[in-house]
Amino acid sequence: MAPQRFHEQFQHIQRALPDIPLTMGPDDSAGFLYEKGVVLVRDGEEAPFVEDAVRTHFTETQGLVPDHVRREGPQTGRTGVTRIRVGDPTQGEDTVPHALHAVRQAEDRRGRRLAGRNHVMHIAVNACPGDEPVPVPRAGSANPAPAEGRYDPATAVGVLVVDTGLVHDHRCYPPLAHTTGDAQCAETDADGVLRQYVGHGTFIAGILAAVAPNTDITVRGTLNDAGAVLESEFGALLFEAVDRDGWPDIISLSAGTPSEDADGLIGLEAFMWELRDQRTLLVAAAGNNGSATPFWPAAYAALPEYAGSVLSVGALRADGEGGACFSNHGPWVRAYAPGERLTSALTGFRVPVPYVYQHSTYDSCRFGPDAYSCTCQYPPHTGVLSEGLTSTGGKPDQVMFEGPAQWSGTSFATPVVAGLVADRMTRYRERDPRAAGAALLAATADRAEVRGARAPALRPPTWRPVPAAIPALPV
């Protein structure tokens, strides 16, 4: 992913989390975000062992006083992790890479990773946006269009969407008439302008309901705060989401983070262990970095112990024939589904709401020499976060939302696949969501070209390709 947009988003997330000093990894590139001066370890004997190893290393090599390295309480309980402060984040270079290096030899002896960064977990259009939403005429139709079928509360498949909350008028969008959950916090700013990421969870729920009408969809606003939360807190928030209503058939999660670690995230370990012992299928977005670097928790799908419980989803481009330029890819991505220029609910139909674009489009694809009319370029607009905009006297583009929207990202390919699994459960009276997911993948012979590989492609019957000729952005 080109650093420009990543850096713009970094500043936005840092403003939303002002009390948490953040930095980028691994080298100020468009990789991941994490908390400065803190590492995560497991509770129990590993926490004091890591604390002592880091303290000894820093005392001997950098002359830091022992108080600079300390466990921070209270511990996080059910998630089984402890924060260890490894330096003052306001003073000079971040000490986290040095601390992780200090425990590397101990990890080699013990045969597993003992410490990790405290990553920022974010919705998949947050630190790596595919694009921003585009208004669709009020009379515009959904894509995917609503499938035939009826909602039967006695047989409906339970789907939990962990995301931003529901906009207040979501029930004005017919497919969401019986969707429940948390309200979206602070939909507009002091000037009445729609905030960035508002409607993300509502958009996802609209896609799910269109693909699988016989679903009980619950949307939890776990990521209402700018779509970002620290890894040390995310595991507990996921537990809270499933505890409120019980483990559902399917969790649709369009959030995560890249990481240098190849065996998952310490902060999610306890949740993933419990998930593994349930019947729930986690359908997770692969992320929008245009990279093969694993994006967690979607990448758990490639670990043998989680293979049946996690289904990772990448995005197809608008014509459905190949991978979207922004989509992450690699052997850890199990399937691809339409995720570019889908149409669903962003706001209801009552009062038009203005939105100001945050990012500018590019002259060419920011992920490489892709030859199609991708969302990097079209529809063209100028964003308020663009460097030099104020100095040149330019103004960001503003549009009005009063109904459906068109949006792109693996965030939205994910509910397509979650919906296809739920629909299969209804049609075949399948009670096991993991068996339904495995059968769905086994039954599809469709393939799409993704970065030189032929990958499984799941295209809903009611989805239609979007023409390459993209109209100008409405103003």
Side-chain angles (χ1 to χ4, degrees):
M1 177 178 176
Q4 176 183 333
R5 189 166 291 188
F6 181 77
H7 281 242
E8 292 170 356
Q9 289 296 93
F10 170 75
Q11 297 298 329
H12 182 85
I13 293 170
Q14 182 64 89
R15 285 193 297 271
L17 304 173
D19 299 327
I20 302 171
L22 302 178
T23 190
M24 300 179 231
D27 54 3
D28 196 38
S29 65
F32 47 80
L33 308 178
Y34 65 96
E35 183 182 11
K36 291 179 68 175
V38 168
V39 296
L40 296 185
V41 300
R42 300 172 187 85
D43 287 343
E45 66 175 16
E46 291 185 1
F49 178 83
V50 170
E51 181 184 11
D52 290 342
V54 174
R55 179 182 289 113
T56 300
H57 171 78
F58 279 10
T59 301
E60 293 177 351
T61 64
Q62 299 186 24
L64 293 176
V65 296
D67 284 348
H68 282 156
V69 179
R70 63 186 184 278
R71 275 175 284 172
E72 294 188 334
Q75 295 180 354
T76 52
R78 188 174 176 187
T79 59
V81 296
T82 296
R83 292 162 50 93
I84 295 183
R85 174 69 58 186
V86 294
D88 185 348
T90 66
Q91 300 296 318
E93 183 183 4
D94 178 43
T95 53
V96 167
H98 300 292
L100 295 177
H101 177 75
V103 298
R104 188 67 50 82
Q105 290 183 341
E107 289 176 337
D108 291 341
R109 290 195 302 271
R110 294 203 170 197
R112 73 168 180 169
R113 184 163 51 97
L114 300 176
R117 287 176 170 86
N118 194 14
H119 298 89
V120 175
M121 311 294 296
H122 50 79
I123 55 176
V125 298
N126 192 330
C128 49
D131 71 348
E132 294 176 79
V134 176
V136 171
R138 185 178 299 190
S141 58
N143 187 25
E148 292 185 3
R150 64 184 183 88
Y151 170 65
D152 174 14
T155 63
V157 177
V159 184
L160 171 64
V161 176
V162 178
D163 209 88
T164 64
L166 293 161
V167 297
H168 72 279
D169 49 6
H170 67 275
R171 286 195 173 91
C172 295
Y173 189 71
L176 297 181
H178 59 270
T179 298
T180 60
D182 300 329
Q184 170 78 57
C185 295
E187 295 179 13
T188 57
D189 63 18
D191 298 321
V193 176
L194 201 65
R195 293 178 180 270
Q196 197 175 8
Y197 320 127
V198 166
H200 189 263
T202 306
F203 196 95
I204 286 170
I207 293 173
L208 248 168
V211 175
N214 191 32
T215 45
D216 268 325
I217 301 172
T218 302
V219 180
R220 292 298 173 207
T222 304
L223 294 162
N224 260 333
D225 190 1
V229 67
L230 289 175
E231 178 187 334
S232 57
E233 301 171 6
F234 193 49
L237 291 171
L238 290 173
F239 275 127
E240 180 181 317
V242 297
D243 287 348
R244 290 178 68 173
D245 306 294
W247 286 85
D249 294 307
I250 299 168
I251 297 174
S252 180
L253 179 62
S254 295
T257 180
S259 173
E260 291 181 309
D261 301 316
D263 58 351
L265 304 177
I266 288 176
L268 294 191
E269 206 168 70
F271 179 82
M272 295 304 299
W273 283 345
E274 191 159 331
L275 169 75
R276 185 180 55 188
D277 295 335
Q278 302 291 330
R279 57 186 292 277
T280 299
L281 175 66
L282 173 62
V283 184
N288 303 327
N289 290 300
S291 168
T293 300
F295 188 85
W296 305 91
Y300 280 101
L303 302 184
E305 61 268 39
Y306 298 104
S309 52
V310 182
L311 178 51
S312 49
V313 183
L316 297 175
R317 64 185 188 226
D319 64 7
E321 295 304 313
C325 66
F326 54 77
S327 180
N328 284 345
H329 51 89
W332 55 276
V333 183
R334 289 291 176 254
Y336 294 79
E340 191 174 70
R341 298 193 171 101
L342 301 186
T343 303
S344 180
L346 182 70
T347 66
F349 296 89
R350 296 172 184 163
V351 180
V353 183
Y355 177 74
V356 176
Y357 281 95
Q358 304 297 300
H359 307 290
S360 298
T361 46
Y362 295 71
D363 294 332
S364 60
C365 177
R366 66 188 190 272
F367 296 100
D370 296 86
Y372 76 101
S373 301
C374 66
T375 58
C376 298
Q377 306 163 268
Y378 304 104
H381 50 250
T382 299
V384 70
L385 298 179
S386 300
E387 293 182 6
L389 179 63
T390 304
S391 62
T392 60
K395 292 184 178 180
D397 291 331
Q398 178 174 306
V399 293
M400 299 295 291
F401 284 102
E402 53 183 331
Q406 196 175 79
W407 212 345
S408 306
T410 59
S411 279
F412 312 123
T414 297
V416 169
V417 173
L420 288 172
V421 174
D423 182 64
R424 185 178 181 92
M425 291 177 68
T426 295
R427 287 189 292 111
Y428 290 92
R429 298 181 180 180
E430 174 63 71
R431 297 179 61 86
D432 183 347
R434 296 181 182 179
L440 178 69
L441 285 178
T444 183
D446 292 342
R447 293 292 185 271
E449 184 77 15
V450 180
R451 306 281 177 159
R454 300 293 290 173
L458 301 173
R459 306 179 184 92
T462 61
W463 170 80
R464 62 190 185 279
V466 177
I470 306 299
L473 186 70
V475 295

